[in-house]
Amino acid sequence: MATPSIDKHALDSFHAHLSQSKRVLALLGAGLSASSGLPTFRGAGGLWRSHDSISLATPEAFAADPSLVWHFYNYRRHMALQAQPNPAHYALAELARKLPGFQCLSQNVDGLSQRAEHPPDQLQLLHGTLFELKCASRRCDYHETNFTDPVVPALAIPTGGVDPTSNEARREAAAAQDKGQDLDISDVKVPIPSISTKDLPQCPKCNAHLLRPGVVWFGESLPASVLKNVDDFIDADAGIDLIIVIGTSAKVYPAAGYIDEAREKGARVCVVNMDTNDAPASGWAEGDWLFQGDAATVVPELLKPVIGEIKAKV
Ligand code: APR
């Protein structure tokens, strides 16, 4: 991914501000994990097997077709498990260790920040995680941590023998997309079968409902404990010095609203994004920074005065 060079003057002024900052927020989005190979939601990459990813992320979609929705989430779990954290995940984890007044508000459910050993009490998972399963019934409180891939045998990715993470599959999908076809790499060769409800993940506690991914779907509330942690940080008398907005289109609320809340508490705003059109919803203000480029390159550079050099992990 080509990254434009970072403006030296802006970088110096950001470094000067960061070095004096005691209370810092970061708002993370799918662009943080893009260079780890995970697709974003909006724009290119937001399609899975011709389905708009967002249309599958609702309780209504799960109720209507749990097999389809589970295929989608099983595939995302598989891709996330294949991916590795990139230097930006490690840089943010290191900033958290160096700066106790740093909180990351992540919209990502891919588990990469956790695998980069981001301190858990400085990582607020606004939208949950792919690796937590919970009972689909609101009346049952069962939940579990689960990294099994596929999540149940019936959900094994139907590839007809083609590994969807292989170069062959990637080439085939890219060629189809060049021809204007909506083909995701998981589409290669074989259509997805409809799985009977009894073969989907079952709640072992109530024995009456399916398990579902422990992510926040459109129309659902954010986890109460996470909301409290975020509100406590934002409402503290000490104010906020800086919010770094990384790889998010900042279109989904309440997450996107935290940019303005931080601003109201005194924070200067720094945006890291490949696309310079993805501005904060309320627009730019005097003193904001915009660093265009791949988060995996830009974020370690931005944080260098506090965290030093981040070594690539293999
Ligand atoms: N580096 C930095 N930014 C990038 C990169 C990259 N390598 N690649 C893409 N981006 C930017 C895009 O320009 C876009 O602004 O990342 C952003 C991704 O935006 P979305 O796809 O909308 O993802 P996100 O903002 O995380 O979505 C928020 O919406 O679908 C729901 O719950 C889901 O958490 C998700 C939420």
Side-chain angles (χ1 to χ4, degrees):
M1 209 172 302
T3 306
S5 59
I6 301 174
D7 179 80
K8 175 84 172 74
H9 179 70
L11 186 63
D12 287 347
S13 96
F14 177 82
H15 281 168
H17 187 71
L18 175 67
S19 300
Q20 293 168 1
S21 294
K22 294 199 165 48
R23 300 192 81 244
V24 176
L25 273 176
L27 177 65
L28 314 180
L32 173 69
S33 298
S35 83
S36 295
L38 300 181
T40 57
F41 295 93
R42 291 168 187 79
L47 284 172
W48 174 76
R49 290 175 171 270
S50 80
H51 294 277
D52 172 4
S53 304
I54 292 165
S55 71
L56 296 174
T58 66
E60 292 76 19
F62 187 71
D65 194 344
S67 167
L68 178 69
V69 173
W70 253 125
H71 269 297
F72 171 58
Y73 280 96
N74 180 69
Y75 172 68
R76 290 185 61 198
R77 284 163 57 97
H78 176 77
M79 293 300 284
L81 287 171
Q82 299 294 312
Q84 299 302 325
N86 67 52
H89 296 103
Y90 288 112
L92 291 162
E94 187 60 17
L95 182 65
R97 283 185 283 272
K98 291 269 160 48
L99 187 65
F102 176 50
Q103 269 292 353
C104 260
L105 316 182
S106 182
Q107 301 170 87
N108 296 347
V109 295
D110 55 32
L112 292 184
S113 290
Q114 297 91 314
R115 284 168 54 200
E117 295 178 11
H118 197 108
D121 56 350
Q122 288 168 279
L123 180 67
Q124 304 304 326
L125 299 174
L126 300 177
H127 296 168
T129 157
L130 290 169
F131 301 103
E132 190 79 9
L133 308 186
K134 61 182 187 181
C135 183
S137 166
R138 287 210 192 110
R139 284 187 289 278
C140 176
D141 62 1
Y142 182 78
H143 60 98
E144 66 179 37
T145 301
N146 181 314
F147 290 94
T148 308
D149 181 28
V151 62
V152 287
L155 283 167
I157 296 172
T159 62
V162 177
D163 175 358
T165 60
S166 69
N167 286 339
E168 182 195 352
R170 285 177 204 275
R171 268 196 303 276
E172 205 167 312
Q177 280 170 353
D178 284 349
K179 286 187 227 143
Q181 297 167 4
D182 293 337
L183 190 72
D184 182 274
I185 63 170
S186 61
D187 272 321
V188 173
K189 307 258 193 251
V190 180
I192 31 171
S194 182
I195 296 176
S196 108
T197 305
K198 70 174 179 26
D199 293 325
L200 291 172
Q202 308 287 325
C203 177
K205 185 171 178 188
C206 70
N207 286 311
H209 295 276
L210 292 178
L211 291 177
R212 54 161 278 185
V215 299
V216 176
W217 280 332
F218 286 98
E220 296 183 323
S221 310
L222 270 51
S225 60
V226 172
L227 281 176
K228 182 176 183 323
N229 291 344
V230 178
D231 288 345
D232 286 351
F233 186 90
I234 291 179
D235 293 342
D237 290 339
I240 303 173
D241 301 303
L242 172 67
I243 179 164
I244 314 174
V245 181
I246 303 169
T248 176
S249 57
K251 291 196 167 51
V252 175
Y253 286 78
Y258 291 134
I259 303 171
D260 283 343
E261 287 191 39
R263 222 193 259 290
E264 279 162 26
K265 291 288 180 170
R268 289 181 67 178
V269 175
C270 170
V271 172
V272 178
N273 203 303
M274 287 297 269
D275 186 343
T276 52
N277 294 316
D278 279 353
S282 57
W284 297 105
E286 187 77 28
D288 289 354
W289 295 272
L290 168 64
F291 294 100
Q292 185 188 12
D294 176 15
T297 309
V298 175
V299 172
E301 197 62 35
L302 291 182
L303 305 185
K304 208 182 261 178
V306 181
I307 65 170
E309 202 76 52
I310 284 292
K311 302 219 170 36
K313 308 230 163 105
V314 280

